[in-house]
């Protein structure tokens, strides 16, 4: 892998991506990073052997620029990059809600842009990164983005019009599961279990269920029915979930997340 890749804004997600790329075979000499703080830059140099540079230097020397900044910082970052970016660079945005059109308008010529929405499990190489092409991005550009983000999990290509829905479902998705585990842990305490034991039971149940969903090929309804015996404990719990409108609440929650993603994309933050 001889192309130089720069990660601009090396926070938690940026560092996870950097670490995953090195494990996947990228040479540290081919990776550049930018940070706001000198001590953070030195930390990354020591930990990974990469070169910290300025944003302008990254734009001049890297073939691929990964913009891992906060959405509210994107405009200022693009203003800094624009004088130094040429149309043979690939720009990958990992900032929530920022459209490829927003970036393309602020960069010269026909600079290819790819939009990626990762989620936090990239920190443990189990992420899902949703990838969309801008108006100038080629199939090779999408494949290159998949190679990079595939180092920290799975990738999925979607039309950009579906990005807000994917943000609601996948980008925010881990938080819903954490919320559910939190609630179930409280229930375990109410039922008389110590917190640590309730937590361990629920986390392992979640991991096991997720692996079965991924590997069995079965529909979730079928897997649920396998646990739900007639007049048993599970069906009584499912009835209460339905009585309290949990399914409808989840649908409404995801719609709210999608709508907020649209607001952020339109600049109504």
């Amino acid at each position: 892998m001889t192309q130089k890749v720069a990660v601009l804004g090396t926070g938690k997600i940026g560092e996870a991506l950097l670490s995953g790329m090195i494990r996947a075979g990228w040479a540290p000499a081919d990776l550049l990073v930018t940070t706001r703080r000198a001590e953070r830059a030195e930390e990354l140099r020591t930990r990974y052997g990469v070169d910290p540079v300025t944003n302008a230097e990254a734009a001049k020397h890297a073939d691929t620029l990964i913009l891992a900044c906060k959405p509210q910082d994107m405009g200022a970052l693009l203003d800094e990059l624009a004088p130094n970016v040429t149309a043979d660079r690939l720009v990958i945005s990992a900032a929530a809600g920022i459209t490829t059109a927003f970036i393309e308008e602020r960069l010269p010529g026909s600079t290819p842009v790819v939009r990626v929405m990762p989620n936090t499990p990239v920190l443990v190489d189990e992420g899902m990164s949703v990838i969309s092409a801008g108006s100038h991005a080629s199939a090779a550009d999408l494949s290159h983005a998949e190679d990079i983000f595939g180092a920290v999990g799975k990738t999925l290509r979607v039309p950009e019009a579906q990005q807000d829905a994917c943000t609601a479902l996948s980008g925010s998705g881990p938080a819903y599961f954490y919320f559910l585990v939190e609630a179930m842990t409280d229930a375990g305490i109410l039922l008389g279990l110590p917190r640590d034991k309730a937590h361990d039971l629920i986390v392992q149940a979640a991991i096991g269920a997720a692996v079965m969903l991924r590997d069995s090929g079965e529909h979730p309804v079928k897997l649920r029915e396998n646990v739900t015996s007639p007049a048993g404990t599970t069906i009584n719990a499912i009835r209460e979930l339905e009585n309290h409108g949990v399914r409808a609440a989840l649908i409404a929650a995801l719609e709210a997340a999608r709508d907020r993603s649209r607001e952020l994309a339109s600049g109504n933050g």
Side-chain angles (χ1 to χ4, degrees):
M1 301 177 186
T2 57
Q3 282 204 342
K4 281 195 177 292
V5 177
V7 181
L8 286 71
T10 317
K12 287 185 178 180
I13 297 296
E15 183 177 356
L17 192 56
L18 180 69
S19 175
M21 291 172 68
I22 291 172
R23 290 195 304 277
W26 268 266
D30 294 327
L31 299 173
L32 306 174
V33 296
T34 76
T35 67
R36 287 183 173 180
R37 297 181 293 109
E39 59 270 26
R40 173 64 169 163
E42 191 56 37
E43 178 184 317
L44 293 168
R45 185 201 301 274
T46 301
R47 187 174 297 167
Y48 300 107
V50 296
D51 286 329
V53 295
T54 66
N55 291 328
E57 288 171 335
K60 289 176 183 177
H61 300 299
D63 302 288
T64 300
L65 304 173
I66 302 172
L67 312 185
C69 63
K70 295 178 180 179
Q72 60 267 32
D73 296 332
M74 182 64 79
L77 176 59
L78 291 172
D79 289 342
E80 192 175 351
L81 296 177
N84 302 290
V85 171
T86 55
D88 61 346
R89 301 287 190 260
L90 170 61
V91 175
I92 300 175
S93 169
I98 301 295
T99 64
T100 57
F102 178 93
I103 297 171
E104 288 167 348
E105 290 168 1
R106 288 158 177 80
L107 294 178
S110 55
T111 304
V113 178
V114 172
R115 177 178 173 182
V116 183
M117 181 69 243
N119 60 13
T120 55
V122 298
L123 297 168
V124 292
D125 293 348
E126 291 290 351
M128 173 56 82
S129 298
V130 183
I131 298 176
S132 301
S135 58
H136 307 303
S138 66
D141 293 328
L142 287 173
S143 293
H144 187 46
E146 287 174 332
D147 287 342
I148 292 172
F149 283 84
V152 289
K154 293 192 175 186
T155 63
L156 178 69
R157 293 189 195 185
V158 301
E160 189 169 7
Q162 295 177 2
Q163 276 279 358
D164 292 321
C166 291
T167 296
L169 204 64
S170 175
S172 299
Y176 314 145
F177 289 99
Y178 301 146
F179 183 88
L180 181 60
V181 168
E182 179 188 359
M184 291 177 69
T185 300
D186 287 344
I189 294 168
L190 180 67
L191 297 175
L193 291 171
R195 177 174 293 276
D196 58 342
K197 288 185 170 56
H199 175 83
D200 289 348
L201 288 167
I202 294 159
V203 169
Q204 186 56 39
I207 292 169
V211 171
M212 290 182 71
L213 279 167
R214 184 189 65 191
D215 296 347
S216 70
E218 296 281 4
H219 193 281
V221 169
K222 174 64 175 175
L223 292 174
R224 178 177 59 77
E225 287 177 345
N226 290 342
V227 189
T228 311
S229 55
T233 59
T234 306
I235 191 61
N236 272 275
I238 296 295
R239 180 187 63 184
E240 287 302 309
L241 291 172
E242 295 290 8
N243 286 343
H244 286 82
V246 172
R247 187 188 304 266
L250 281 170
I251 293 171
L254 268 68
E255 286 180 326
R258 178 210 55 197
D259 293 347
R260 180 55 178 156
S261 182
R262 287 176 175 171
E263 289 175 359
L264 291 171
S266 65
N268 299 321

